[in-house]
Each structure stands twice: as C-alpha cells, then as structure tokens.
Amino acid sequence: MPLQPMLRKLATLVELSSADTDTILSLPYSVTDVRHHRDILAVGERPTFVYVVLSGWAARYSLRVDGSRRITGLMLPGDFCGIHAVTDAPMDHAIGAVTDCEVAKINKKAVEQAVQASPVLGKALWRAKLIDEAILRKWLLNSQDASQAMSHLLCELFERARMAGLTEGNRFYVPLTQEGLGDLLGITSIHTNRVLRRLQEDELLDYAGKEYFIPDVAALRHACAFSPEYLHQYTS
Amino acid sequence: MPLQPMLRKLATLVELSSADTDTILSLPYSVTDVRHHRDILAVGERPTFVYVVLSGWAARYSLRVDGSRRITGLMLPGDFCGIHAVTDAPMDHAIGAVTDCEVAKINKKAVEQAVQASPVLGKALWRAKLIDEAILRKWLLNSQDASQAMSHLLCELFERARMAGLTEGNRFYVPLTQEGLGDLLGITSIHTNRVLRRLQEDELLDYAGKEYFIPDVAALRHACAFSPEYLHQYTS
DNA sequence: CGCCCTTTTGAAGAAAATCAAGGGCAGTGG
DNA sequence: CCACTGCCCTTGATTTTCTTCAAAAGGGCG
C-alpha cells in the first residue's frame, strides 16, 4: 500500500479509527516520480492537488535576487504539502525534490470530502500545519548562532527521521550536501563545513558523507536546548 | 461593535455574506485589557479560547537560555491567535502584549460551531494561518542581511497597518523600541539603530520616535524586493 | 583515467556583536 | 521649579562571527 508513509505520519498526529483509515486508503491518488532538483510545485502555481511524499526528501525554498537559495521547509516521507490548495492562492515559494522522490497526488476535492467523512482528518491537517509553523519559529529562534542552529537542526532531523522510521539506532541519512545544509541555515557551505567539523571535534556528532551519527543524543540536545515537544503537538 | 477589527480582518481574507457576518457578531466573547509586557498566553498553557486583538499590538516570542528574546510573530488589531486551540497542544512559545491591548476571548467551542454554521469562516482561519506561515518564511528568507530585513519588515508592517486602517498616508506608528525591532530581526539594538540611520541617510525612510514615514514606497520596496502578495493570499 | 561535484583548509575582508559611555526626554518627587 | 531617575537612542572602539576569495584534496562514475 503506497500511502503507508502518509498513514504513519497521520497516526503520529491523531488517533485513527479503522473507519478513518479506510477513508484515507480509499482516497483516489496517482503516484509520480520526481527526479531530484526538479520542482514538485513552482512559484506562482495554484495547486489543485495535495501532494504527499512517499519516498525521498523534498524542500520548500525561495531564490533571492542574487541567485542564492534559502530552504524554508523540509518534507520527509509521509509529509504533505499543498494543503494550501484550500485557498486557491498562488505559491509564493517553490517545492522541489531534494532526492528522487515518489509523490502521491490527491485531488483537493477528494481531500475535502474525506475531511467531511472523517473530521479527525481535518484535525490532523491542522496539526500538521501548526507543526510546520512551530518548526519555522524554531529555525528563526536558532538562526542567531550557526553552531547552535546546526545542532538543533540535526536534532530535529534525527527526530523526524526516527518518527518516519528512517533511522538505525543513532544513525541516519541526510540527503543534503553541506551546501544544502547551508541553504537551510542561511550560511555558506564553507561555514557549514567548519561548523560540522567543530561539532565532530567536540564529539557531539560524527558523519561520513551523508551518513550522520549522534554519539550521545542527550549531549547534543543539551548543547542546543533541543526539546522535541514542538514536533508532535499530540496530546489527545 | 467591539469585534469590528476582526470583521475587517476577515473581510480581507474571504468574502463574507451578511449571514456570515451575523454568525461572527453573535459569537459570545469577553473583552480583557492586557497591560503592555504582560502575557496573553504563556508557554506551556493550553489555550481554550481563541484570542482576538481589538486594539494595540501583541507578539509571539520565545526566550533563549541566555535571556535574549526573539519575536516570531506580530499581531495587529484584528489578528487572532490560539486557533491552535483545536489541537489541545501546550504553547511552545508565549504571546505577550507589546502595548496595552484590548483582547477578546472567544470560546473555542463557539468558534467550532461558528465554523459549522459558516464554512467560509473555516476557510478564513486556514488563510490566516497560511499567511502567518508565509510571513515566517519571508522573515527567514530575509534574515541574511540586516538592512534588507529591516526594509522588508517595515514594508510589511506598513502594509499590514494599512490593511488594518492604521496609517495616514505614508506615515504609521510602530509601538516597538529599537530593541524590540532588534528582537524581531534577531539583531542587537545597537545594530538596529545603525541600520535605521543608514536607511534614513539613504532617504528610504524617515522616523522620529515611533512614528515612521516612508517617503517613497516603491523605492523602499525595490530595495528589499518586497512584494505584498504573500500577505493576502486572497484571490476568490 | 579524467572529470565533476563535494569537502576541506587558508587567508583576508565585511557584517554584526560586545563593551563602553554620553545624551535626550519624560515622569517623579522634593 | 528643578534635580533626579529610568528608559531609550546614539556614537565610538574593539572583538567575534561569518563571508568571500582562492586553492587543494577526496570520491564516485562515465
């Protein structure tokens, strides 16, 4: 069942009855393959679908006048975008595939009907949006100090990858170059490199290529005051 | 009618029928006065109301371990917060009054019922949230260069103040100290001062105390690539 | 093997923080 | 009325952080 990653994600947001699960699994969808660096949604486009990442990573990003890029959001398997479709508004930023991705397109009307049938689904969409917003606030909050921002980002990505079932112990894969990480934090790739090496020296982090390893999660979290609650505002 | 600012705001988001207006005006609410620097919602609190700012400015903020503050959102008259209430999640940040404020508290259940009665209201709430998110993305995007960030912020505030009916020509009032502006941009008050003076020298901006004047809106906008679409993703 | 992309390191320069201090202005109280 | 106080704005000097420029060293893949 291809929509499995979405179900997994939704299950972290709300408690799904088997009826809700049925509603979701009966959603009509089509799966598209998107090659890395290709856009899933372009600036100015008015999405008529809700998009769910099934495999791979995608990112919200904007380009500046000088050509530099800033990533303003990341989507891991199970994450969706284009909920935005409810508003008929044009995209003020783009969403691009970071790696080759499988993406499910679900018709906006079908989503609206599903929300009618399973109100808890509407609640889940709200929660997902609020988490997106909470993440943006954290990124803004941590943007003062590159080292702290990096540590916090890695804590966040580790946690999100873990929730998506993409970790092995304290090891995980981040399919971004150091330049990509820089675009996330708003620093140059050179500075990204130095910050990473520093964390490695301090034994808060280890990495080889795009494989990352956190020797001591508590220590890394402590270094950047990371507290995971904002990622799953799930309490019911 | 005290809820006037909220109506005005909603009218920028969706087209309200007179029935919708009636639904909104019949919402039960109570008005509270909040003194400046007091919290409307504290960290950890689980809001059971939706709060609407009727007069004054409020801000979302977080405190860092070192005591410094970062403002991650601003609320002008008509703006609401605590929509968040739908999720029962505890606040991961605080909302405080920037100036003395009048705030309306509307019971969460009443809001849910109003959304049932006037679905367009639900759409408006979604739009408002999406605009909050778009603003956060812009702040992140512009956080690279203090001068550009400041110009962009002032363009945004002018536009938002204008939509709320708080401007006189190109003149408007920003009830924040330079330290407050610094907390918005993530820079020190000293640097804030230098950036403002620079804009003044360049004749992109004039100010005296908290009164700001933009001699040439197009010029200021051009300097920071400001384009207002993200503020009112209103197209229907 | 050779090429391209990415990582790594060095050195110089710009942007912003920090440290330090003076000045204006409004409110308060003698 | 004036001195005092607190808050905010302003400016200068110094230090830290990050960028820019430059170049070398891996690493995967045709």
Side-chain angles (χ1 to χ4, degrees):
Chain A
M1 29 182 161
L3 291 186
Q4 190 57 39
M6 177 169 67
L7 264 187
R8 182 184 180 122
K9 166 84 177 185
L10 289 172
T12 68
L13 297 169
V14 290
E15 195 144 5
L16 295 172
S17 69
S18 62
D20 298 325
T21 306
D22 291 346
T23 307
I24 295 160
L25 290 180
S26 67
L27 280 167
Y29 66 91
S30 62
V31 176
T32 319
D33 285 307
V34 183
R35 299 304 299 268
H36 79 292
H37 291 183
R38 292 273 172 199
D39 277 353
I40 295 171
L41 279 168
V43 172
E45 206 171 322
R46 293 179 200 272
T48 54
F49 295 93
V50 171
Y51 294 80
V52 185
V53 175
L54 301 179
S55 67
W57 287 34
R60 295 176 190 274
Y61 71 92
S62 296
L63 296 177
R64 302 201 184 81
V65 213
D66 66 0
S68 66
R69 177 177 75 152
R70 176 84 193 223
I71 293 177
T72 55
L74 275 180
M75 293 166 47
L76 274 60
D79 290 338
F80 22 82
C81 66
I83 306 182
H84 189 247
V86 288
T87 70
D88 291 322
M91 296 289 293
D92 67 333
H93 63 284
I95 298 182
V98 169
T99 63
D100 291 353
C101 285
E102 282 179 299
V103 176
K105 293 167 66 172
I106 307 176
N107 189 282
K108 148 192 179 179
K109 295 259 183 261
V111 173
E112 280 167 11
Q113 282 163 18
V115 169
Q116 290 286 324
S118 285
V120 75
L121 188 55
K123 200 168 175 181
L125 295 182
W126 264 107
R127 286 201 166 159
K129 219 2 128 200
L130 291 168
I131 291 173
D132 286 352
E133 196 190 344
I135 290 173
L136 282 169
R137 276 194 299 265
K138 289 289 180 197
W139 288 9
L140 214 48
L141 184 65
N142 293 313
S143 62
Q144 253 34 24
D145 174 45
S147 175
Q148 167 151 339
M150 178 67 82
S151 307
H152 200 279
L153 178 69
L154 290 169
C155 284
E156 178 193 313
L157 293 183
F158 177 66
E159 186 65 14
R160 289 175 66 184
R162 201 182 58 73
M163 288 195 285
L166 299 172
T167 53
E168 283 175 36
N170 289 356
R171 200 169 291 283
F172 66 119
Y173 183 76
V174 179
L176 286 162
T177 61
Q178 292 183 3
E179 186 177 5
L181 285 174
D183 291 344
L184 269 165
L185 301 182
I187 60 178
T188 59
S189 60
I190 291 149
H191 196 50
T192 302
N193 182 269
R194 295 198 231 261
V195 168
L196 282 174
R197 311 238 95 223
R198 191 84 214 288
L199 289 176
Q200 196 177 39
E201 270 175 35
D202 296 347
E203 296 184 355
L204 288 169
L205 178 73
D206 201 7
Y207 65 96
K210 293 169 181 169
E211 283 284 348
Y212 289 76
F213 175 68
I214 303 177
D216 182 346
V217 173
L220 187 61
R221 286 187 170 184
H222 184 260
C224 58
F226 177 88
S227 163
E229 288 81 34
Y230 72 101
L231 287 176
H232 46 278
Q233 319 184 301
Y234 175 17
T235 52
S236 74
Chain B
M1 29 181 159
L3 290 186
Q4 190 57 37
M6 176 169 67
L7 265 187
R8 180 180 181 124
K9 165 83 178 184
L10 289 172
T12 67
L13 297 170
V14 290
E15 195 145 5
L16 294 172
S17 69
S18 63
D20 298 325
T21 306
D22 291 346
T23 307
I24 294 160
L25 290 180
S26 66
L27 280 168
Y29 66 91
S30 62
V31 175
T32 319
D33 285 308
V34 183
R35 299 303 300 268
H36 80 292
H37 291 181
R38 293 272 172 200
D39 278 352
I40 296 171
L41 279 168
V43 173
E45 207 172 322
R46 293 178 201 274
T48 54
F49 294 93
V50 170
Y51 294 80
V52 184
V53 175
L54 301 178
S55 68
W57 288 33
R60 296 176 189 273
Y61 71 92
S62 296
L63 296 177
R64 302 202 184 82
V65 214
D66 66 0
S68 67
R69 177 177 76 151
R70 176 84 193 222
I71 293 178
T72 55
L74 276 180
M75 292 166 49
L76 272 60
D79 290 338
F80 20 82
C81 65
I83 307 182
H84 188 246
V86 287
T87 70
D88 292 322
M91 296 288 292
D92 68 333
H93 62 284
I95 297 181
V98 170
T99 64
D100 291 354
C101 285
E102 283 179 298
V103 177
K105 292 166 66 170
I106 307 176
N107 189 282
K108 146 191 178 177
K109 295 259 185 260
V111 173
E112 281 166 11
Q113 282 162 19
V115 170
Q116 290 285 322
S118 285
V120 76
L121 188 54
K123 200 169 175 179
L125 296 182
W126 264 106
R127 285 199 168 158
K129 221 359 131 198
L130 290 169
I131 292 173
D132 287 351
E133 196 190 344
I135 291 173
L136 282 169
R137 275 194 299 265
K138 288 289 180 199
W139 288 8
L140 214 47
L141 184 65
N142 293 314
S143 61
Q144 251 36 25
D145 175 46
S147 175
Q148 166 150 342
M150 178 67 83
S151 307
H152 200 277
L153 178 70
L154 289 169
C155 284
E156 178 193 312
L157 293 182
F158 176 66
E159 184 65 14
R160 290 175 65 184
R162 201 183 57 74
M163 289 195 286
L166 300 172
T167 54
E168 283 175 35
N170 290 355
R171 201 168 292 282
F172 65 119
Y173 183 77
V174 179
L176 285 162
T177 60
Q178 292 185 2
E179 187 177 5
L181 285 175
D183 291 343
L184 268 165
L185 301 181
I187 60 179
T188 59
S189 61
I190 292 153
H191 196 49
T192 301
N193 182 268
R194 294 199 232 261
V195 168
L196 282 174
R197 311 238 97 223
R198 191 81 213 289
L199 290 175
Q200 197 177 37
E201 271 175 35
D202 295 347
E203 296 183 358
L204 289 169
L205 179 72
D206 202 7
Y207 66 97
K210 293 170 181 168
E211 282 285 347
Y212 289 78
F213 174 69
I214 303 177
D216 182 346
V217 173
L220 187 61
R221 286 186 172 187
H222 184 259
C224 58
F226 178 87
S227 165
E229 288 81 33
Y230 72 102
L231 286 177
H232 46 276
Q233 320 185 302
Y234 174 18
T235 52
S236 77

